[in-house]
Amino acid sequence: MKKLTILIIILGLSLILPGNAVVSDLNSSVIMTPTGTLLPTTNYTLYVYVANSTHGISGANVTFTVSSGKLISSPQAGGLVSLSTLEAISNSSGYVKIVWESPQTDFSIPTINVQLLADIQYPAESLSKSLSKTISVGSPTIDSIAQITQNLTKPVLSNQSVVIKTTVKNNLGLPTPNTQVSLTLPIGNFTSNSQGLTDTNGEFIVSWRAPILSTANPSQIANLTILAQISPSVNNSKIFLINVTLGKAADIVIQSSLPQFTKEGTVQPITITVLNNQTLQQGAEISISTTRGYFKNQTGSYVLTDATGISNSTGQLTVYWKAPILDNNLNVTNDFSLLLNLGTIQVTSDFNTTIYPVLKSFKVKWLSSTAGFSQNKTIPVSLQLLDSVSSLPVANANVQLSSEYGVWNVSNSDVVSLTSDSQGTITGYIDVSNVKFEFQFQNLTVIYSASSSKYRPIQGNQSLSIERSRPNLGFKIILDSKNATVGQSIGILIKVDLKGNPVQDVTLELSTTTGYFVNSTSGVPSNFRGRTDTAGLLKVVWKTDNINQTDFNLTNYIHIKAYFQSYTYDLGSYKINLYESTTSATTNILPNSSPTAGSNSLIIGSIATALLVAAGGTIIVIKKYN
């Protein structure tokens, strides 16, 4: 028994622990709404409060339903079942917040009663509760329609189509939406329904065309009657005089916003302003046509050759026109024709704009190499002209190439003009073989310029590196004798020329196997190094004083090399016979080894004989290098 009693006490304590309080009932639950008559088409916040006699109850399931209007949201909503029903769970304070839009009222039903239902379920204790409440929706109390206005305050032209806008306001000075309006006008014709409800701004709009007048009947006046009713007991009417006149074309002035100049390919808004007798004219029917470019259609495409429309309340009509792309680099005057119909009045007008071209830009792609060229070979210069935006080749462009030295093919001058082909390329050839290079490698700056009817002129330059070619020097070697005895001196005269002109400062180096050079400056008697003078000459004396008698009857070789700029010319070895006496047999002085074929040539024979005679019996060897 003691054990059982303890268990009963524990169970009893668990029932009164905080957080597990007994709800017992939902009797204090209520639907909470704003007081009074609610306005139509207005958002309101409603609440369902779930509670017992002491506190709000959280975690209750609430199904909320409205008979009219539409439910928008709830922070606790599990989801909108429909526009009239939602399911939600009460929050920690026992509330369910609901946003609801009240229904629209109209002339026939100025007030609507809306029923609100809330079904509450509390599963933890199997409790339920149903709530209901009725609220009213309607317009504010209106004692009368205080004001009816319409927009036709100026004469209407014969056969003119106009818009009549009626505005209704109540005794509170506010626009009255959903007010029944009827218009009656005994002349002309309504082209839309003359009866209907005002909108949220208290406005009702109809279209009406004025009657056709004649010179015999140039004007007509009639009463426009407007009846406005909010309810059978709240209504008002007003009469307005409508004046219709024949009008005169001379009173019509047409103004255009089109500028004097328009860039090709651009969209230009054109605003037409119509004045009638110095007053902005609404309702003028306008048609504009052009032979170039296109007007924008309703889908935004520029495909129309003419545009139509009606001037608005400020007397204006705006159309959009896209200027064409021009075929060449010339300005073009584009004409527009305008036809205006205003009732029985018809007016034409012409205006124009000058379309000017938009010059594109080149970009240049250098195609040929910029280095590795030799002076003695024709140098190709190639480039490509491309459109700077599309990168497509630009054909038939005029290109001029020029340089500070050298001769271009075709023109035989320092400038050549070329035309780009279908790939936008040009190729010119320049010859610099006759140019005197100061250094072995020299830069040649090529200046290019390009122009075309659709492109801005462009100019630039490119530097080319060219290696100097070896000069084609000629060498004449003159020896006093081809034989030598003890103590004898032999003079060696070397002459250097380039195409018959003497070449100064050519360095010549001579070396010998025996003997010595008298005027050697190298410090080694058996070697000599010197330069040609202004006449292209260098004279060297070779002596045999230091040769032993026993060395005679032998052969001596003198080897000659030439150095000019950065190039070396090997002129070969020349033989001199050494004898004990001058009566010894003679031999020709020839190179010890022949020059390499194709690199130089040795001229002996008749030319050498002629030069020998001219020199007074000396031996002459002529050696020329290509």
Side-chain angles (χ1 to χ4, degrees):
M1 289 298 292
K2 186 180 291 184
K3 184 176 181 181
L4 180 60
T5 302
I6 293 171
L7 289 174
I8 292 172
I9 293 171
I10 292 172
L11 290 172
L13 288 172
S14 68
L15 293 174
I16 60 173
L17 288 175
N20 293 287
V22 176
V23 172
S24 299
D25 65 75
L26 304 173
N27 294 337
S28 295
S29 300
V30 66
I31 298 174
M32 304 172 68
T33 65
T35 59
T37 301
L38 306 185
L39 295 174
T41 61
T42 304
N43 288 354
Y44 289 98
T45 300
L46 313 177
Y47 293 92
V48 176
Y49 179 54
V50 182
N52 58 18
S53 58
T54 60
H55 59 275
I57 301 168
S58 65
N61 298 325
V62 178
T63 300
F64 188 78
T65 305
V66 294
S67 63
S68 186
K70 59 183 179 181
L71 297 169
I72 297 176
S73 66
S74 171
Q76 295 88 38
L80 290 174
V81 177
S82 67
L83 294 179
S84 61
T85 303
L86 66 77
E87 295 176 346
I89 299 174
S90 59
N91 63 16
S92 59
S93 299
Y95 287 96
V96 172
K97 181 180 178 181
I98 301 161
V99 179
W100 167 72
E101 182 183 324
S102 59
Q104 172 72 61
T105 60
D106 57 32
F107 173 74
S108 59
I109 308 176
T111 302
I112 298 175
N113 291 323
V114 180
Q115 187 175 21
L116 310 179
L117 299 176
D119 179 62
I120 305 171
Q121 301 289 331
Y122 188 68
E125 298 181 23
S126 301
L127 301 176
S128 63
K129 181 75 173 178
S130 294
L131 305 174
S132 66
K133 185 175 183 177
T134 300
I135 56 176
S136 295
V137 176
S139 301
T141 302
I142 298 174
D143 297 329
S144 65
I145 294 176
Q147 185 179 2
I148 301 175
T149 58
Q150 58 85 31
N151 60 308
L152 295 185
T153 59
K154 300 174 183 177
V156 180
L157 295 178
S158 169
N159 199 38
Q160 181 183 353
S161 179
V162 296
V163 171
I164 302 176
K165 180 171 68 174
T166 300
T167 302
V168 181
K169 293 184 179 180
N170 58 31
N171 59 294
L172 303 176
L174 301 174
T176 59
N178 305 309
T179 300
Q180 183 73 33
V181 176
S182 298
L183 284 77
T184 305
L185 188 56
I187 61 174
N189 296 287
F190 288 102
T191 55
S192 66
N193 197 339
S194 61
Q195 296 182 7
L197 296 175
T198 57
D199 59 19
T200 56
N201 296 316
E203 296 176 349
F204 176 65
I205 296 174
V206 300
S207 297
W208 176 76
R209 183 175 288 277
I212 299 175
L213 305 182
S214 64
T215 54
N217 182 26
S219 65
Q220 195 170 355
I221 297 175
N223 292 331
L224 168 63
T225 302
I226 301 177
L227 172 64
Q229 293 179 287
I230 293 177
S231 67
S233 60
V234 181
N235 60 76
N236 197 358
S237 64
K238 191 169 183 178
I239 297 175
F240 302 89
L241 290 179
I242 303 299
N243 185 10
V244 180
T245 64
L246 187 60
K248 296 183 295 182
D251 292 335
I252 304 298
V253 176
I254 300 173
Q255 299 172 345
S256 167
S257 67
L258 188 66
Q260 182 179 358
F261 295 97
T262 302
K263 187 193 309 182
E264 67 171 345
T266 58
V267 173
Q268 181 64 56
I270 305 174
T271 298
I272 303 299
T273 303
V274 182
L275 294 97
N276 181 8
N277 198 19
Q278 300 182 356
T279 302
L280 294 171
Q281 179 64 58
Q282 182 180 9
E285 300 171 2
I286 300 170
S287 175
I288 309 172
S289 61
T290 184
T291 55
R292 292 187 181 90
Y294 294 96
F295 293 100
K296 184 170 70 173
N297 64 11
Q298 292 181 344
T299 63
S301 300
Y302 288 86
V303 295
L304 303 177
T305 56
D306 60 279
T308 59
I310 298 175
S311 61
N312 59 20
S313 58
T314 61
Q316 293 182 331
L317 169 68
T318 299
V319 297
Y320 294 87
W321 169 76
K322 187 174 184 178
I325 299 297
L326 301 178
D327 295 329
N328 50 49
N329 194 27
L330 298 175
N331 291 353
V332 173
T333 299
N334 191 65
D335 295 319
F336 294 83
S337 296
L338 183 147
L339 175 63
L340 180 145
N341 286 288
L342 186 60
T344 55
I345 298 175
Q346 189 172 84
V347 179
T348 60
S349 178
D350 296 320
F351 51 96
N352 61 60
T353 184
T354 299
I355 306 172
Y356 63 90
V358 180
L359 295 181
K360 303 176 184 178
S361 296
F362 287 117
K363 65 178 177 181
V364 176
K365 182 179 181 181
W366 195 264
L367 299 179
S368 56
S369 176
T370 58
F373 298 112
S374 177
Q375 181 186 8
N376 59 358
K377 293 182 179 180
T378 302
I379 300 171
V381 174
S382 182
L383 57 83
Q384 184 180 31
L385 295 177
L386 302 172
D387 184 278
S388 63
V389 177
S390 68
S391 294
L392 295 174
V394 180
N396 300 316
N398 299 316
V399 182
Q400 188 177 83
L401 301 176
S402 61
S403 55
E404 71 264 43
Y405 59 82
V407 176
W408 293 92
N409 68 330
V410 180
S411 66
N412 292 320
S413 69
D414 59 355
V415 178
V416 64
S417 295
L418 304 167
T419 302
S420 61
D421 60 18
S422 60
Q423 297 303 309
T425 61
I426 61 96
T427 301
Y429 298 89
I430 186 170
D431 181 1
V432 294
S433 59
N434 292 326
V435 178
K436 182 178 180 181
F437 276 31
E438 187 175 352
F439 305 100
Q440 182 178 357
F441 290 94
Q442 188 159 318
N443 288 333
L444 170 66
T445 300
V446 175
I447 300 171
Y448 60 82
S449 61
S451 62
S452 176
S453 60
K454 298 291 290 181
Y455 288 81
R456 294 185 183 89
I458 188 173
Q459 188 175 50
N461 62 78
Q462 181 65 54
S463 182
L464 309 180
S465 178
I466 304 172
E467 184 177 8
R468 179 179 56 201
S469 59
R470 191 168 84 163
N472 185 21
L473 298 180
F475 298 88
K476 295 179 184 179
I477 304 170
I478 303 171
L479 290 83
D480 288 344
S481 175
K482 58 188 176 182
N483 301 312
T485 60
V486 177
Q488 184 179 358
S489 297
I490 294 179
I492 303 171
L493 180 65
I494 303 172
K495 183 175 183 180
V496 184
D497 72 276
L498 177 62
K499 297 183 180 181
N501 298 313
V503 182
Q504 185 181 3
D505 292 330
V506 176
T507 299
L508 291 160
E509 186 177 77
L510 292 81
S511 60
T512 180
T513 54
T514 58
Y516 66 94
F517 296 103
V518 174
N519 49 352
S520 173
T521 58
S522 65
V524 180
S526 60
N527 291 301
F528 175 85
R529 191 178 183 92
R531 291 186 178 184
T532 55
D533 58 18
T534 57
L537 299 174
L538 175 68
K539 185 173 182 180
V540 183
V541 177
W542 175 76
K543 295 193 70 172
T544 61
D545 290 357
N546 63 343
I547 302 176
N548 294 325
Q549 186 69 31
T550 57
D551 290 334
F552 281 80
N553 296 322
L554 298 176
T555 301
N556 179 60
Y557 292 97
I558 295 177
H559 192 83
I560 305 175
K561 287 185 178 181
Y563 302 94
F564 184 64
Q565 295 176 347
S566 60
Y567 301 101
T568 301
Y569 301 79
D570 193 336
L571 306 182
S573 296
Y574 298 92
K575 181 171 66 177
I576 298 178
N577 296 313
L578 302 175
Y579 296 101
E580 294 181 4
S581 66
T582 58
T583 58
S584 301
T586 61
T587 57
N588 290 331
I589 300 177
L590 296 174
N592 186 42
S593 58
S594 298
T596 303
S599 64
N600 53 55
S601 61
L602 183 64
I603 302 176
I604 312 273
S606 60
I607 298 177
T609 303
L611 290 170
L612 178 61
V613 173
T618 57
I619 302 300
I620 302 176
V621 177
I622 303 175
K623 197 177 189 68
K624 283 189 177 289
Y625 279 78
N626 295 324

